[in-house]
Amino acid sequence: MKKKILSAVLCAALAAATLMGCAEANNGGNDTNNCGNTTTNTTVSEDTTFNIGICQLIEHPALDAATQGFQDALKEKLGDKVTFDVQDAQGEQTTAATIVNGFVSSGYDLILANATTPLQCAAAATTKIPVLGTSVTDYATALEISDWTGATGRNISGTSDLAPIDEQENMLVDLFPSAKKVGLLFCTAEANSVYQIKLFEKALEADGIAYQEYGIADSNEVQAVVSTAASECDVLYIPTDNTLANCTETVYNIVVPAGVPVIAGEEGICAGCGVATLSISYYDLGYQTGLMAYDILVNGADITTMSVQYAKAVTMKYNAEICDKLGVTVPETYEAIQ
């Protein structure tokens, strides 16, 4: 919780510096400067071009797919009337804050925040420019909203990558009915990972299965923590966690020799080190977010009342290579990850 508060404070501090400059450029509050732009067009002229800033937390397949889906949706709708400034925060909160502050000072028409940290930084950077999130698990947790109604009531909406946690837990139980202890691997600095872990724990408790949390602060702790978890548990679970998604090779090199299977929260992690996942399509999620952006930019939809949307379908998938190495047999209803 302290880390999450620190994250919000740091993003806010960095945002304040940029917004102060915008205020000065506004000549004492004149709203002609784009730093205070809110785009809700109901009529779009033929020469209108929309400029969109995309801040992606880190490069890995799930987030890459969401960004691509978002761009494809808007290109299909707007053709050459939309431009994108895509920037990678390289997993750094301060970099994400700098990126979104730049988008605000440039007066972009809309900001896409791909993952929780960029969303938090964008929320701190502007209260006027529409901000859409994607690859964000729980908006109430990310934005510290206690009276969640489905919409933020602010200049923020988007899509959630939350797959049904109880169904993921059912998958673990079905594939490994003799498991006595489950290790829960996650990054403690990622609020949405913590949120998923708590939901998974409730499902395990309902089935009377013991578990142990194995939290990492950053990627430097992955090898040591995963080694401990693999030596103490029968099965491991990793939620949709950006830090671990970027360290699947390290996880693979520990769990496969140890003979310990991993149930993953999303396909990218499963492809790297897991045996099975109940996965959403991040491309489809990004595409869905792009359609929301079009509705805001062109149709004048009110983002403050726009409900957060969820993936429309989930698929049971498995990693054939790792399953073969660990002797895991999955039902025919599972789809192999290509």
Side-chain angles (χ1 to χ4, degrees):
M1 178 62 71
K2 291 181 179 178
K3 289 184 178 178
K4 187 169 80 172
I5 294 172
L6 179 60
S7 172
V9 170
L10 180 55
C11 285
L14 290 168
T18 298
L19 293 178
M20 184 178 296
C22 292
E24 291 173 355
N26 278 336
N27 297 320
N30 188 323
D31 287 336
T32 58
N33 185 279
N34 279 336
C35 289
N37 177 47
T38 301
T39 306
T40 53
N41 299 287
T42 54
T43 303
V44 180
S45 64
E46 291 184 0
D47 59 351
T48 298
T49 299
F50 297 106
N51 300 306
I52 296 177
I54 299 176
C55 180
Q56 181 172 314
L57 177 61
I58 199 168
E59 182 180 348
H60 72 69
L63 301 188
D64 293 347
T67 292
Q68 189 62 57
F70 177 82
Q71 292 178 286
D72 287 352
L74 285 171
K75 286 177 183 176
E76 288 177 16
K77 288 285 190 179
L78 296 170
D80 60 3
K81 296 185 182 300
V82 61
T83 64
F84 303 100
D85 182 355
V86 184
Q87 298 193 40
D88 180 357
Q90 299 178 345
E92 297 294 331
Q93 174 192 316
T94 52
T95 304
T98 299
I99 290 170
V100 295
N101 287 336
F103 294 161
V104 173
S105 64
S106 295
Y108 284 168
D109 297 295
L110 185 140
I111 295 171
L112 175 71
N114 192 347
T116 301
T117 296
L119 180 75
Q120 292 171 327
C121 291
T126 179
T127 60
K128 295 184 177 181
I129 296 176
V131 175
L132 287 175
T134 193
S135 313
V136 175
T137 305
D138 182 62
Y139 284 73
T141 299
L143 301 174
E144 298 183 337
I145 300 174
S146 59
D147 55 343
W148 181 247
T149 62
T152 67
R154 301 163 56 179
N155 63 315
I156 301 169
S157 189
T159 55
S160 168
D161 63 356
L162 181 64
I165 298 294
D166 56 343
E167 293 182 32
Q168 292 181 3
E169 192 267 349
N170 288 339
M171 172 181 285
L172 185 151
V173 173
D174 290 343
L175 292 178
F176 308 103
S178 61
K180 302 299 182 185
K181 184 178 180 182
V182 176
L184 306 174
L185 285 170
F186 65 104
C187 178
T188 57
E190 296 188 32
N192 284 344
S193 295
V194 176
Y195 174 79
Q196 292 171 83
I197 289 297
K198 296 306 179 186
L199 292 179
F200 205 87
E201 289 176 352
K202 290 181 180 179
L204 289 170
E205 289 169 1
D207 285 330
I209 299 174
Y211 60 83
Q212 176 69 44
E213 291 186 2
Y214 295 90
I216 61 169
D218 54 43
S219 59
N220 296 321
E221 297 183 359
V222 170
Q223 184 164 354
V225 173
V226 175
S227 295
T228 300
S231 68
E232 297 177 347
C233 301
D234 304 305
V235 184
L236 303 182
Y237 170 72
I238 301 175
T240 54
D241 184 291
N242 293 303
T243 302
L244 285 161
N246 206 40
C247 298
T248 56
E249 184 177 356
T250 301
V251 178
Y252 174 94
N253 290 333
I254 296 168
V255 299
V256 172
V260 178
V262 172
I263 296 295
E266 56 94 6
E267 184 175 335
I269 295 175
C270 189
C273 64
V275 295
T277 183
L278 185 68
S279 185
I280 67 169
S281 166
Y282 276 83
Y283 178 87
D284 290 348
L285 195 71
Y287 193 96
Q288 197 172 335
T289 315
L291 296 180
M292 294 175 72
Y294 179 82
D295 204 21
I296 293 164
L297 295 171
V298 177
N299 298 329
D302 183 359
I303 193 171
T304 66
T305 61
M306 184 176 283
S307 295
V308 168
Q309 298 182 16
Y310 295 81
K312 299 182 184 301
V314 293
T315 305
M316 294 184 292
K317 294 191 174 184
Y318 73 103
N319 185 320
E321 177 191 349
I322 296 180
C323 283
D324 287 344
K325 289 184 177 181
L326 299 185
V328 176
T329 301
V330 299
E332 294 182 357
T333 51
Y334 282 63
E335 177 182 316
I337 296 174
Q338 303 299 319

